[in-house]
Amino acid sequence: MSRPSVKAGRRTIDIDVGGTFTDLVLTWGDRRISAKAPTTPYDLSVGFLDVLTDGADQLEMSIDELLPQIELVRYSTTVAMNRLIERKGPRLGLLTTEGHEDAILIGRGAQWTDGTRISERRNVAVQNKPAPLITRDMIAGVRERVDSFGAVLRPLDEDDVRRKLRKLVDGGARAIAVSLLWSFAHPEHERRIREIIREEYRSYHVGYLPVVLSHEVVGKVGEYERTMTAILDAYLQGSIKAEMESTWDQLRDHGYRGSFLLTHNTGGSAEIFKTTASRTYNGGPISGLMGSYHIGKALGYRNVIASDVGGTSFDLGMVVDASVRSYEFRPIIDKWMVGISMLQSTTMGAGGGSIAWINELLGGRLEVGPRSAGSYPGPVCYDLGGTEPTTTDADVVLGYISPDGYFNGRMPLNRDKAVEAIELKIAKPLGLGVDEAAALIRRIVEQNMASAIKREVHLRGYHPEDFVLFAFGGGGPTHVAGYGADVPTSVIFPQAPVFSALGSSVMDIMHVYEQSKRILFLNGMTQQFTDDYAAYNAPIEEMVAQARADLTSEGLDPDSAVFTVELDMLYGGQVQVKRVASPLLSINSPEDAQRVYDEFEKEYSEAFSPHVVNKPGGAYIENIIVKATVPTEKLALPVHDLVGKDASAARTGSRNAYWPEQSGRVDTPVFAFDQLRPGNQVDGPALVEAEFTTIVIPPGKSLTIDRHGLGLLQNSDVAGTDAAQPARTAAPTLEGAPA
């Protein structure tokens, strides 16, 4: 089997499976080919083959000719998210320490708020804890006990384990999660339980039981979070394995012999054989965020808001000071807090398929989302049986999307049915005309998106005007003029509809390892740094050794990897933990310790305030994280000479469209995005059509094509001037250190 390497970017395939469409970016030498196909939720491999066939057709090849020449396939998926939403997992059993059987049912103090929107939390009267993935009768406590230092207080009672195991299997368990107290400090008991399960239920038997050990998925403190991560992995493993095996089999059947990498929510990717189910959660949005990081860095943008408007959701992430190293402090997967590291991103139910509906409980107020029509039946205009009006239906009714040009002309839309649905379900109940009702649908969904951007930026302590906004996904260019909030410049890429797959193509191969290690790094009383360097260095050396072994097993050269260390640190007497980048892999002197502390104080001050730095309380390390990164080949950005502002050569015609700013319909010019040249400027109202999306330019806005062929959407009074150019700090190349 051929394996990925640093130079694996010449012939690669990157796939992003969304709720509505499956996107492909095929890198073939100097060419990058984009394709989309409807997602097939009944079997994701069908949509995968459809989009792959489309990409091969553009090279005038069959997939049997194409795949044997491909070096690497990377795959982003939201299968984990969808399976959790649908609650389509096996009946699970949990083995835990006797006396702690109810820990996951009790949860954290505010567990009922986990994974809920602010508007839901306000209505406390109807709030309940989520229905557990494992019911109480399927949780068994085994006789054993280990303390926080890893010392065995009560040996494992193996006969008790066998009795409890049989009870769980007799109760219908089809997968077992094992989470013992302090197991990361003394993993031998969990390992022995797995051996017992294998002795009782052999791997070659038909009733084979998958087993997930908590210390292997999360090797750090936090009983509830560690247990929930193990449970989620056990719950999702079967369904994701089935989905991935189907896709993997299709690749092998058509001649592919390379590696199959999955995107992780830590911002890297790794082979399917080295990936746990929970780490694939939110893979698509993370690919878009990492693409924004790498491409933004190449363009010289240090602060980027990544916004992805798909068919089902609106995904939001931030690049701050040329870094995406912002992690969820207490990450939530669906309704449960977990212990794995996840890059910060926000997802809300707002997209092209979001359903518009009248909320009678709130006095007949129009709302859009979070329910989605998905890909089947999809919006009413798809003419596949949908009856509920959606955002896409509103775009078609208003004239922004061409019914004949949708999905590159391969998916004709039924405008009449969209008009009928909006008139019946929205316009008449609200006493509005159809155009006014469609415009209101757009305004509401865009306001929801804009509020999410403002909330995310302001709550992190930043100002929107200091950022550029990357608008991608099929609906990003169509709606960014409305949701851009106070961000002065929105950047639109030719590959915007497949940007998450494009982001996957520039992501590095990365493994992340974590260990809990409580170290008093700075003594508050003496202001002396620790001199127990082995306590700091030993876990790092252990994780680096594990990383090198894993990379070698994947056929990668560990000497080509970049090893970095991050630390979860806090001051004594405080609860705010800050993850900081250590400037050193090891510390061997007071000067080394000083460098690590200085970086912590700097990042802590920037994140919270210099006024909360509490050196008299001492500084502590809670967790140590090692990243092993194999950089991959990056995207080369073209640089063109600028021509004049006149864009008339790219005009393809006009379309009657409704503009609320002008209180009526206007004969609106239509342009082809691929015919616009660097320096061209299109003033609103106008429509610019690309292969899989339409850029909507309302009155007062202008689209300018920059020297890289990217569209910059700005207010007309500044477009095309020097003031309109966002600050750049680097040359347009995509080489550089990984995140």
Side-chain angles (χ1 to χ4, degrees):
M1 178 186 293
S2 62
R3 297 289 186 175
S5 64
V6 177
K7 295 296 183 184
R10 302 312 298 169
R11 292 185 177 182
T12 62
I13 288 173
D14 291 273
I15 299 285
D16 175 42
V17 181
T20 305
F21 288 104
T22 296
D23 303 339
L24 171 139
V25 169
L26 170 58
T27 303
W28 189 264
D30 295 332
R31 295 182 62 183
R32 281 186 188 262
I33 291 169
S34 303
K36 291 176 78 76
T39 295
T40 49
Y42 57 88
D43 185 350
L44 294 181
S45 67
V46 175
F48 176 84
L49 277 185
D50 288 344
V51 76
L52 200 56
T53 301
D54 190 342
D57 288 343
Q58 295 183 50
L59 288 174
E60 299 182 348
M61 301 170 69
S62 69
I63 57 175
D64 291 324
E65 295 170 320
L66 172 69
L67 284 175
Q69 302 181 61
I70 293 297
E71 302 167 37
L72 185 64
V73 174
R74 285 169 288 219
Y75 193 90
S76 304
T77 178
T78 55
V79 172
M81 185 188 303
N82 298 337
R83 292 299 172 266
L84 269 180
I85 292 172
E86 297 162 356
R87 296 295 187 267
K88 291 184 177 178
R91 186 168 173 82
L92 300 181
L94 172 65
L95 290 174
T96 188
T97 301
E98 190 174 60
H100 290 256
E101 295 89 344
D102 295 310
I104 64 164
L105 304 179
I106 297 170
R108 307 280 297 204
Q111 187 197 19
W112 64 273
T113 67
D114 292 346
T116 61
R117 296 188 299 273
I118 293 176
S119 59
E120 294 173 322
R121 297 173 198 171
R122 288 173 179 156
N123 192 1
V124 178
V126 299
Q127 292 303 317
N128 289 297
K129 287 187 175 183
L133 295 178
I134 298 182
T135 55
R136 180 61 182 85
D137 61 307
M138 295 301 290
I139 302 174
V142 297
R143 297 171 186 169
E144 70 86 42
R145 190 66 163 83
V146 172
D147 69 11
S148 60
F149 298 99
V152 177
L153 303 180
R154 184 184 191 185
L156 180 67
D157 186 334
E158 296 188 4
D159 291 335
D160 184 58
V161 172
R162 295 178 196 275
R163 286 194 300 271
K164 302 292 177 56
L165 175 62
R166 292 190 190 104
K167 179 182 177 182
L168 293 180
V169 174
D170 290 344
R174 291 298 170 260
I176 302 291
V178 182
S179 181
L180 305 179
L181 199 63
W182 301 108
S183 60
F184 63 91
H186 183 85
E188 283 75 12
H189 284 185
E190 285 194 351
R191 291 171 182 162
R192 179 55 188 150
I193 288 176
R194 178 166 56 191
E195 291 173 358
I196 292 172
I197 295 173
R198 290 287 173 262
E199 291 169 4
E200 295 288 321
Y201 304 95
R202 303 287 182 177
S203 59
Y204 51 79
H205 289 162
V206 175
Y208 168 74
L209 285 173
V211 180
V212 177
L213 306 184
S214 70
H215 80 270
E216 292 184 343
V217 293
V218 180
K220 61 182 185 181
V221 70
E223 178 188 5
Y224 172 69
E225 294 90 334
R226 186 175 67 256
T227 304
M228 282 312 309
T229 307
I231 289 171
L232 286 167
D233 273 323
Y235 188 78
L236 297 170
Q237 186 185 60
S239 58
I240 292 182
K241 183 173 181 288
E243 298 282 8
M244 294 298 98
E245 281 181 344
S246 178
T247 301
W248 178 241
D249 288 344
Q250 294 284 6
L251 286 170
R252 304 294 289 181
D253 290 345
H254 290 284
Y256 178 63
R257 294 296 180 266
S259 292
F260 191 32
L261 303 188
L262 296 182
T263 298
H264 288 191
N265 42 36
T266 52
S269 59
E271 272 200 336
I272 185 173
F273 306 108
K274 300 289 183 180
T275 299
T276 59
S278 59
R279 296 187 188 276
T280 69
Y281 192 82
N282 222 26
I286 294 301
S287 292
L289 175 58
M290 293 306 298
S292 298
Y293 162 73
H294 286 293
I295 296 173
K297 184 176 181 179
L299 292 168
Y301 300 145
R302 297 188 63 82
N303 299 318
V304 179
I305 298 171
S307 64
D308 182 355
V309 182
T312 305
S313 63
F314 174 66
D315 301 305
L316 183 65
M318 290 173 59
V319 179
V320 179
D321 198 20
S323 172
V324 290
R325 204 172 36 76
S326 295
Y327 298 93
E328 299 285 357
F329 176 56
R330 289 181 173 171
I332 305 295
I333 290 183
D334 193 83
K335 301 290 185 181
W336 293 280
M337 191 179 296
V338 295
I340 60 176
S341 293
M342 294 176 61
L343 290 178
Q344 280 190 338
S345 66
T346 299
T347 298
M348 60 182 294
S354 294
I355 294 172
W357 56 289
I358 304 295
N359 191 335
E360 301 295 351
L361 296 177
L362 294 178
R365 188 174 77 179
L366 176 63
E367 299 198 25
V368 183
R371 290 190 303 123
S372 173
S375 55
Y376 290 100
V380 176
C381 60
Y382 281 15
D383 211 3
L384 296 175
T387 59
E388 301 291 334
T390 67
T391 305
T392 297
D393 291 310
D395 292 332
V396 171
V397 168
L398 294 170
Y400 300 152
I401 293 178
S402 169
D404 299 324
Y406 188 71
F407 202 59
N408 203 25
R410 288 177 290 167
M411 195 172 175
L413 302 179
N414 190 325
R415 183 181 183 276
D416 292 339
K417 284 195 174 181
V419 169
E420 181 181 348
I422 290 178
E423 182 177 25
L424 178 65
K425 299 289 183 71
I426 307 298
K428 285 186 176 180
L430 295 179
L432 299 173
V434 173
D435 284 342
E436 289 80 4
L440 184 58
I441 292 172
R442 269 183 62 96
R443 192 176 81 193
I444 289 174
V445 75
E446 288 170 355
Q447 284 178 344
N448 291 342
M449 297 174 186
S451 295
I453 291 176
K454 291 178 181 178
R455 183 170 61 249
E456 191 74 8
V457 174
H458 288 303
L459 286 180
R460 291 209 212 170
Y462 303 109
H463 301 287
E465 57 269 22
D466 295 331
F467 288 77
V468 295
L469 177 64
F470 283 8
F472 49 91
T478 306
H479 293 275
V480 67
Y483 73 72
D486 299 322
V487 185
T489 301
S490 299
V491 182
I492 300 171
F493 295 82
Q495 305 92 346
V498 296
F499 189 85
S500 289
L502 180 67
S504 169
S505 74
V506 298
M507 286 175 64
D508 298 319
I509 299 168
M510 184 170 70
H511 293 278
V512 179
Y513 305 85
E514 302 181 59
Q515 277 193 27
S516 278
K517 196 70 176 179
R518 179 78 171 184
I519 299 174
L520 175 58
F521 195 75
L522 173 68
N523 189 304
M525 296 293 293
T526 65
Q527 293 294 290
Q528 297 296 311
F529 294 110
T530 179
D531 58 3
D532 186 2
Y533 303 140
Y536 180 92
N537 295 333
I540 294 175
E541 292 169 358
E542 179 183 333
M543 288 185 279
V544 168
Q546 181 63 53
R548 294 181 69 88
D550 287 344
L551 293 174
T552 300
S553 70
E554 294 182 35
L556 292 163
D557 179 10
D559 292 333
S560 69
V562 178
F563 294 94
T564 55
V565 172
E566 295 179 357
L567 307 168
D568 286 342
M569 297 184 68
L570 76 163
Y571 284 106
Q574 298 185 359
V575 297
Q576 294 93 344
V577 176
K578 181 71 178 76
R579 180 163 296 185
V580 301
S582 171
L584 301 170
L585 278 180
S586 62
I587 57 174
N588 300 291
S589 67
E591 290 76 20
D592 290 345
Q594 182 71 56
R595 288 185 60 190
V596 172
Y597 172 79
D598 289 344
E599 188 63 28
F600 165 58
E601 183 177 304
K602 173 179 174 292
E603 293 199 27
Y604 195 91
S605 299
E606 291 173 350
F608 302 112
S609 167
H611 301 293
V612 296
V613 170
N614 183 30
K615 292 181 71 174
Y620 293 83
I621 293 175
E622 294 268 297
N623 299 299
I624 300 176
I625 302 94
V626 170
K627 289 184 177 180
T629 304
V630 179
T632 58
E633 190 171 339
K634 304 306 181 188
L635 175 69
L637 297 173
V639 180
H640 305 286
D641 293 331
L642 298 178
V643 299
K645 292 185 178 182
D646 184 13
S648 59
R651 182 167 177 173
T652 59
S654 60
R655 188 157 64 242
N656 187 261
Y658 180 87
W659 300 98
E661 298 85 353
Q662 298 182 345
S663 302
R665 288 188 167 268
V666 175
D667 192 45
T668 305
V670 179
F671 298 83
F673 193 23
D674 61 357
Q675 297 299 313
L676 292 171
R677 295 292 171 256
N680 285 178
Q681 180 173 317
V682 177
D683 297 321
L687 302 169
V688 177
E689 295 181 332
E691 188 175 15
F692 295 113
T693 191
T694 299
I695 305 171
V696 175
I697 311 172
K701 296 282 187 180
S702 295
L703 181 76
T704 304
I705 307 300
D706 77 355
R707 59 195 176 119
H708 306 297
L710 311 179
L712 305 180
L713 187 66
Q714 301 162 312
N715 289 334
S716 297
D717 56 349
V718 299
T721 66
D722 291 339
Q725 296 300 315
R728 301 173 187 268
T729 59
T733 60
L734 246 176
E735 305 300 329

